[in-house]
Amino acid sequence: MATAGDAGIRLQILEKMILSRRFEDQITELAEEQGRLPGMQILATGQEAAVAAVLALQDDDVIVTNHRSHAHILARGADPNTLMAEIMGKESGVNHGKSGTLHLIVPEVNVLMTSTVVGAAPPLAAGAAFAQQYTESGAITAVFFGDGAAAEGSVHEAMNLAGVWKLPLLFICENNCWAGAQSYQEHCSVGNIASRAGSYGMPGDLVNGNDADDVLKTARDLAARCREGKGPALMELATYRMHGHGEFDKQHYVDPEELKEWAARDPLTMYRKRLTEEGVATAEQIESMEQEAARIVEEAVRFAEESPYPAPEAVLDHVWAEARATR
Ligand SMILES: Cc1ncc(C[n+]2csc(CCOP(=O)(O)OP(=O)(O)O)c2C)c(N)n1
């Protein structure tokens, strides 16, 4: 569990959780105002404790993630202005307005890929981890994916190969109980996904995915193991998706009691309370984090709204990698 020496990182986790919630609440507001936000928005509201897994990593580690990625990317330290501009499809966005929210790439902070192609991230992450192993870089890769993705063949292939080659790859399954409109029980044959790890020769830990301290501890332990050359590991965060699949989805298929139960275990409320009770953060400190997050998000929206859309003639720019001569 967290120790007295962890105060600094726990404050950073809380700060990033607050920023992520504010950022996504803003997206929810914009999505409801017709015309201010193009395309589909998929949010990680309720899953913010995953931020602790990102902060357990080193700066040179790589992350690969799926369509529910804003919290991961903000925790990694990406610029909220260019992230919001990308989500709004603007030229000043991290990918020049070409990716939108679903396929973000932020190489400056080692976010190799975000993809909504379900199950696409783990095989690519295995490639990144292989490169790290081959070049003896000492870095590792962490890949985030959902419980729905855990049922895809590509994820099992990536786990098998990572196990065989002992890749420095940390698999992080955010089991938020839903895949689109399908519940976990409807698409998964086992009680928990972590138990599958043994089939691929790696450890698998199931953690309370709404408890940032549990997430931090397990991510630190498993990342250290990957870094020591002991091969991959899997952690499953038992959490819940508080919004629909996208902002268009009003969750008519979800039992309101279930939503209420999970709302009572809101990771942000719990962490704020715990850090205050333990004397790690004062109420004033938390209030100032909230104000700072509101200021950052307001500035990001202003920056994005004032930025132009990409010119029509630039439609093919930045879409393909430039060919590089290798010899
Ligand atoms: C290969 C593929 N199949 C189906 C879809 C449609 N789809 C998009 S997200 C999603 C659900 C994914 O669920 P999960 O992996 O649990 O992630 P979550 O959205 O719950 O975070 C589906 C079926 C897709 N994008 N790609």
Side-chain angles (χ1 to χ4, degrees), residues 23-24 26-28 30-31 36-43 69-70 73-74 79-90 92-104 304 309:
F23 193 88
E24 293 205 328
Q26 179 69 70
I27 290 177
T28 302
L30 292 173
R36 284 187 82 191
L37 209 51
M40 180 172 176
Q41 308 301 330
I42 302 190
L43 306 183
S69 68
H70 303 145
I73 295 175
L74 287 168
D79 175 6
N81 286 5
T82 52
L83 189 60
M84 187 64 89
E86 187 59 42
I87 292 167
M88 287 196 184
K90 299 300 183 81
S92 58
V94 280
N95 303 126
H96 304 276
K98 305 286 169 55
S99 79
T101 181
L102 299 181
H103 295 96
L104 296 155
Y309 287 105

Side-chain angles (χ1 to χ4, degrees), residues 103-309:
H103 295 96
L104 296 155
I105 295 174
V106 197
E108 315 78 271
V109 291
N110 282 327
V111 177
L112 183 62
M113 184 187 77
T114 300
S115 177
T116 190
V117 180
V118 175
L124 193 112
F130 175 73
Q132 289 163 329
Q133 183 188 60
Y134 188 74
T135 59
E136 298 178 5
S137 71
I140 72 164
T141 297
V143 59
F144 293 87
F145 56 100
D147 46 289
E152 294 278 341
S154 54
V155 177
H156 294 271
E157 289 170 34
M159 287 183 180
N160 186 51
L161 196 66
V164 172
W165 287 351
K166 296 219 173 308
L167 298 178
L169 180 49
L170 180 56
F171 292 93
I172 305 175
C173 178
E174 287 182 78
N175 185 346
N176 62 15
C177 299
W178 291 94
Q182 201 175 30
S183 73
Y184 173 67
Q185 289 77 11
E186 282 177 292
H187 71 72
C188 194
S189 58
V190 287
N192 69 70
I193 287 162
S195 64
R196 289 178 172 164
S199 317
Y200 302 112
M202 58 177 154
D205 282 350
L206 173 63
V207 303
N208 177 349
N210 277 19
D211 184 326
D213 284 329
D214 276 2
V215 176
L216 175 67
K217 182 184 180 320
T218 306
R220 271 179 168 169
D221 291 350
L222 295 182
R225 199 179 176 281
C226 294
R227 214 178 296 285
E228 283 161 17
K230 294 183 178 154
L234 168 65
M235 67 188 277
E236 175 181 356
L237 314 188
T239 183
Y240 196 79
R241 190 189 80 187
M242 290 308 296
H243 286 205
H245 177 60
E247 289 311 274
F248 62 88
D249 170 9
K250 300 304 170 204
Q251 294 175 292
H252 59 274
Y253 48 85
V254 177
D255 177 355
E257 278 309 307
E258 180 176 298
L259 267 174
K260 248 210 258 165
E261 279 167 27
W262 281 93
R265 285 178 265 161
D266 182 314
L268 188 50
T269 314
M270 288 196 326
Y271 210 48
R272 265 200 220 105
K273 185 165 176 284
R274 186 184 299 159
L275 294 200
T276 318
E277 283 172 358
E278 290 182 11
V280 173
T282 62
E284 293 73 36
Q285 248 175 322
I286 295 179
E287 177 55 29
S288 104
M289 284 182 194
E290 301 273 3
Q291 284 179 8
E292 180 59 3
R295 189 198 63 74
I296 291 172
V297 171
E298 206 175 296
E299 159 67 12
V301 173
R302 194 194 52 73
F303 173 82
E305 287 199 320
E306 287 176 1
S307 298
Y309 287 105

